[in-house]
Amino acid sequence: MEGDYQLKIPTVKERAPTVKLSCSIDEEAYRFVVMGQNNELIFSEKNALTHKSLKEMTLVLGERVDELNLIAAPCQLILLPGQYQLILMDALQMSDEDMIKAFRWRLKGLTDYDLKDLAIDLFSLPTVSSVVPKKVFVALTPLSVLNKYRQLLQSAYLEPTSITIADMALRNCLKLLAQKSDVKEEEEGPFVIISNANNGKTHDKLHLCYQGLFYLIRELVPRGQEDEAVDLSNILAEIERSVDYCVNVLNLPEPKRLIFTPWELLSGDLVKSIKEKLNLDVVILDLNHYLTLTPPMSLKDQHEIFYNIMGALS
């Protein structure tokens, strides 16, 4: 992968039947991850597209796939934040398939995407009360762009068998946390995860989690450039709003934990301020404690391929 972190290619050849692959592609780079058994990271790479066309990038990825002896291997395509849109809507009393058809024509004015060129999926939020209407998140992305990325993977000798948005890949993080926790998942109270991604633009998201499920997903105020300082007042306000929603609307216990996904730009002063002002246990997730990473991986490198690793764990 781009940077100091490197894994030896030959190790994959002996383990090809048991590996899981994920790849994401945007106008900036491709990110490619190969996971083995027992949560072992076998190979990872981020290849920036500086001075390269998408076609040239595909040739590079294809050469890598050939070297790894993974030609025609099933691969999960990960859509990164910014490559899709999530819209929260009231669920309809019908099947998911019929709901998707009905929503297509209700999205006018809610998205800038061309309604005639939409790939649509949805997932339900847990029902917590008969008073609160059942909600679904509708995930949207241009079908033409989706087909382009599929074709690029196929040109690189991979077989894209599934497509996962970053938010759904993040759910595998909940499983990792549960595996290492001394508290059973069903006994642990709600907690908040704040994730960050930078693929051309910076995307910070807040997720309210409980018993392995998301009860809330909210995109935070954009920060602009990746190295721009995190706005403490904005973070505090969003966390307080989400805690209030958790307790007073969802009638769930008050969250006691805040987890940041791997994020090297977070300062110790920011973490300390959040702990003091909100009385939360604040943790920056370090995948070295949850996965087999040899050699250990820096937070910066984890951040670059975090969603790809999470997707390959499914």
Side-chain angles (χ1 to χ4, degrees):
M1 111 182 233
E2 191 180 59
D4 298 330
Y5 192 83
Q6 294 293 333
L7 290 168
K8 294 181 180 178
I9 293 174
T11 56
V12 179
K13 295 192 175 183
E14 302 172 3
R15 313 180 198 190
T18 59
V19 299
K20 292 184 179 180
L21 286 64
S22 76
C23 189
S24 59
I25 303 172
D26 56 38
E27 301 304 320
E28 302 287 330
Y30 74 72
R31 297 165 177 83
F32 183 50
V33 162
V34 183
M35 294 294 299
Q37 292 181 314
N38 301 317
N39 291 341
E40 179 185 8
L41 178 63
I42 296 177
F43 181 79
S44 66
E45 180 177 60
K46 176 191 173 184
N47 196 317
L49 303 185
T50 308
H51 307 305
K52 296 176 186 171
S53 67
L54 281 174
K55 184 177 180 180
E56 289 172 319
M57 179 275 299
T58 303
L59 292 175
V60 174
L61 178 58
E63 291 173 358
R64 184 69 76 227
V65 169
D66 188 19
E67 291 175 0
L68 294 170
N69 196 28
L70 292 171
I71 289 179
C75 182
Q76 186 172 190
L77 173 62
I78 306 294
L79 297 183
L80 299 175
Q83 294 184 314
Y84 62 92
Q85 183 178 357
L86 281 183
I87 299 177
L88 185 63
M89 303 185 74
D90 290 336
L92 305 177
Q93 298 298 316
M94 57 183 67
S95 68
D96 285 358
E97 183 178 351
D98 289 338
M99 210 183 315
I100 288 173
K101 293 177 182 177
F103 281 150
R104 180 176 293 274
W105 306 113
R106 297 188 182 198
L107 293 170
K108 187 175 182 180
L110 299 179
T111 179
D112 292 331
Y113 295 147
D114 182 353
L115 297 183
K116 297 179 181 178
D117 180 35
L118 274 187
I120 305 176
D121 202 357
L122 57 82
F123 60 94
S124 300
L125 272 68
T127 302
V128 295
S129 168
S130 57
V131 178
V132 180
K134 184 177 180 181
K135 300 284 187 179
V136 295
F137 267 115
V138 183
L140 314 173
T141 196
L143 182 60
S144 56
V145 174
L146 203 58
N147 288 335
K148 179 179 73 173
Y149 290 149
R150 281 174 173 161
Q151 291 166 5
L152 287 171
L153 288 183
Q154 290 170 339
S155 298
Y157 315 125
L158 293 170
E159 185 57 43
T161 53
S162 61
I163 300 167
T164 303
I165 62 173
D167 293 282
M168 290 296 96
L170 184 62
R171 288 200 300 190
N172 290 322
C173 180
L174 306 186
K175 298 176 185 177
L176 280 182
L177 294 169
Q179 289 170 8
K180 292 288 184 177
S181 175
D182 295 330
V183 181
K184 293 181 179 179
E185 186 175 64
E186 61 272 15
E187 296 175 355
E188 183 174 32
F191 58 94
V192 174
I193 291 181
I194 293 182
S195 61
N196 168 269
N198 183 68
N199 48 301
K201 294 183 179 180
T202 298
H203 301 272
D204 301 334
K205 284 190 174 185
L206 182 150
H207 301 74
L208 178 62
C209 317
Y210 184 45
Q211 296 184 348
L213 299 172
F214 290 145
Y215 281 74
L216 176 68
I217 301 174
R218 176 179 289 143
E219 184 133 17
L220 306 185
V221 176
R223 287 186 292 118
Q225 299 300 317
E226 181 181 15
D227 57 357
E228 184 178 326
V230 178
D231 186 338
L232 176 60
S233 61
N234 176 45
I235 290 283
L236 290 174
E238 291 291 354
I239 294 172
E240 288 179 321
R241 190 180 305 164
S242 300
V243 169
D244 180 72
Y245 177 79
C246 179
V247 174
N248 296 317
V249 177
L250 300 180
N251 294 315
L252 295 176
E254 182 177 345
K256 298 296 183 183
R257 225 175 14 138
L258 169 63
I259 298 171
F260 286 98
T261 59
W263 198 351
E264 79 282 4
L265 294 179
L266 286 176
S267 68
D269 290 341
L270 176 69
V271 171
K272 182 180 178 181
S273 295
I274 294 175
K275 285 181 178 180
E276 292 175 348
K277 294 181 182 298
L278 298 182
N279 193 28
L280 288 172
D281 178 22
V282 183
V283 176
I284 300 175
L285 184 66
D286 185 347
L287 295 180
N288 290 295
H289 301 318
Y290 298 89
L291 306 175
T292 303
L293 305 178
T294 308
M297 184 182 285
S298 69
L299 289 178
K300 179 179 179 180
D301 286 335
Q302 291 178 40
H303 175 265
E304 292 284 4
I305 56 170
F306 176 73
Y307 286 114
N308 296 83
I309 291 177
M310 292 301 105
L313 290 174
S314 59

